Amino acid sequence: MSIGAGFSSKTAWKKEAAQSDYGEVIECGANNQMPLITEGLSREILKELDNVIRYKAGYGPSDLVGKGVAGPVSFEAVYKGIESLIVSGTGFSNYSGSPETVDTGVYKHTFELANNLHTQSWQAGDGILAGSGYLAGDNKVRRGTLCIDKSVSIWELASVMINAMTIRGNSKGVQLEFDLIPYELDRASAVNTSSAAWSIPDDDWLSVLFGDLVLWIDDYSDSVPLTSDDAVGITEFEVKLENHLKVERDSLSGLYIAEPRREAKRLVTGSFTVPRYESDDLLDKLADQSAMMAMLRFTGSQIGATGYYRTLWIWLPTIKFDKIDAPLGGPGLIPVAHTFTAEIPTALPDGFPAEATKEMVIQVQNDLDTNPLI
């Protein structure tokens, strides 16, 4: 008999195809293995209790009225293999403009925030060009199948959508956490019956390390770009995107949920900690509610012998501080913790990518030559 253990488990993810239907299961295979750290998905059963008054104090038999699944997963941040999860959370990557060919074998992916995350058709303004491969009926699909082999059985989660995405890091590592809303959980699937074929892209996830990071932050400007003079040394950071997807059932969906849709404005927030209290400058920015702009950049190893490096950028064109704390915790050095909310910029900040017209844009440079949203 198999006994479930984390060390003997294995995880894979594959985004659904451009013409898939909500609730459809995709078979995971080569290059789909994911660097799982933790997982907390759980089954929820909704029941209607017997409330009929009939000379009894206890409840009679209940009726099943709904099935649901939800919970968090966290992955090690990597330079390649996580693209389709990121774009499923942000919602958009230009059909023809991303990835940009930087050089032979070097590609830059740009992931933008979309107004909606449910299934939508591609529009002319989304970068569809003649000969680009677009077929009638192709859609922007921001969901996929997540499979976790827990030894006892493979947990297959169909049509998983991302309600929230958090990128956080400190000296112990950099992780991505996703709050997931799957359509259904199957532990006896006829599609994903084995994890043997699940493999790591190019046999190396190429981890994003905290030491790869630089943070640049300064006053918002559409004429003066950020430079290395704006670098701030930090001990930890977090950037979170909340999509506010609504979970609901209707007369067509039955026991299972209908495809979730955004029910409120998305929210991008974040934080970072400076290890030593040395200046009041950012405290003044908080008091004045000054608009700031920031960039987090992680630089990894060289891509072949191209002279270009694996890179992850998080661009925040406008942020304003919500709170800055410099607590005295004893006789030691005083750290300073900053929290902020991102806003849509009034104009494109100088030096930012052209797509940085919303609260955040994420870019990844690696050797993957395909758009993960297509």
Side-chain angles (χ1 to χ4, degrees), residues 242-262:
E242 297 176 73
N243 282 320
H244 296 145
L245 300 180
K246 185 173 180 60
V247 174
E248 57 187 350
R249 294 167 181 81
D250 57 31
S251 58
L252 296 177
S253 67
L255 292 177
Y256 303 101
I257 62 173
E259 184 179 20
R261 296 197 176 205
R262 196 188 301 278

Side-chain angles (χ1 to χ4, degrees), residues 168-171 210-211 213-217 230-239 271-276 282 295-298 336-338 340:
R168 62 166 59 94
N170 55 34
S171 60
F210 187 70
L213 168 67
V214 294
L215 166 63
W216 292 357
I217 183 171
D230 302 315
V232 176
I234 60 175
T235 54
E236 60 183 354
F237 77 92
E238 177 178 295
V239 178
S271 64
F272 61 88
T273 299
V274 175
R276 297 175 296 276
L282 295 184
M295 176 207 67
L296 294 88
R297 185 184 68 224
F298 301 83
V336 187
H338 309 69
F340 61 83

Side-chain angles (χ1 to χ4, degrees), residues 264-287:
K265 291 187 176 184
R266 63 177 175 254
L267 181 64
V268 178
T269 57
S271 64
F272 61 88
T273 299
V274 175
R276 297 175 296 276
Y277 178 29
E278 298 178 298
S279 169
D280 282 335
D281 182 54
L282 295 184
L283 285 163
D284 292 338
K285 306 296 184 185
L286 167 68

Side-chain angles (χ1 to χ4, degrees), residues 272-329:
F272 61 88
T273 299
V274 175
R276 297 175 296 276
Y277 178 29
E278 298 178 298
S279 169
D280 282 335
D281 182 54
L282 295 184
L283 285 163
D284 292 338
K285 306 296 184 185
L286 167 68
D288 297 338
Q289 279 299 280
S290 302
M292 311 289 289
M293 58 185 186
M295 176 207 67
L296 294 88
R297 185 184 68 224
F298 301 83
T299 305
S301 58
Q302 187 174 184
I303 303 171
T306 62
Y308 292 92
Y309 292 81
R310 295 172 177 86
T311 310
L312 166 66
W313 293 267
I314 304 173
W315 301 92
L316 299 162
T318 297
I319 63 173
K320 289 183 180 178
F321 290 115
D322 303 315
K323 185 179 181 183
I324 299 180
D325 290 325
L328 278 168

Side-chain angles (χ1 to χ4, degrees), residues 9-17 25-36 75 78 80-85 143-149 191-192 194-205 368 370 372:
S9 298
K10 195 175 183 181
T11 303
W13 156 272
K14 187 172 183 178
K15 199 187 79 66
E16 292 179 25
V25 174
I26 303 298
E27 183 178 7
C28 295
N31 297 321
N32 296 149
Q33 188 176 343
M34 300 298 293
L36 183 70
F75 298 104
V78 292
K80 181 179 179 180
I82 204 81
E83 298 85 0
S84 65
L85 263 171
R143 58 176 189 266
T145 294
L146 179 70
C147 291
I148 307 171
D149 186 346
V191 177
N192 287 287
S194 171
S195 62
W198 305 351
S199 63
I200 301 168
D202 298 330
D203 298 319
D204 190 346
W205 275 312
L368 179 68
T370 56

Side-chain angles (χ1 to χ4, degrees), residues 43-46 64-69 184 249 255-257:
R43 158 78 79 191
E44 179 188 28
I45 295 295
L46 301 179
L64 176 64
V65 296
K67 291 184 176 182
V69 189
E184 170 61 332
R249 294 167 181 81
L255 292 177
Y256 303 101
I257 62 173

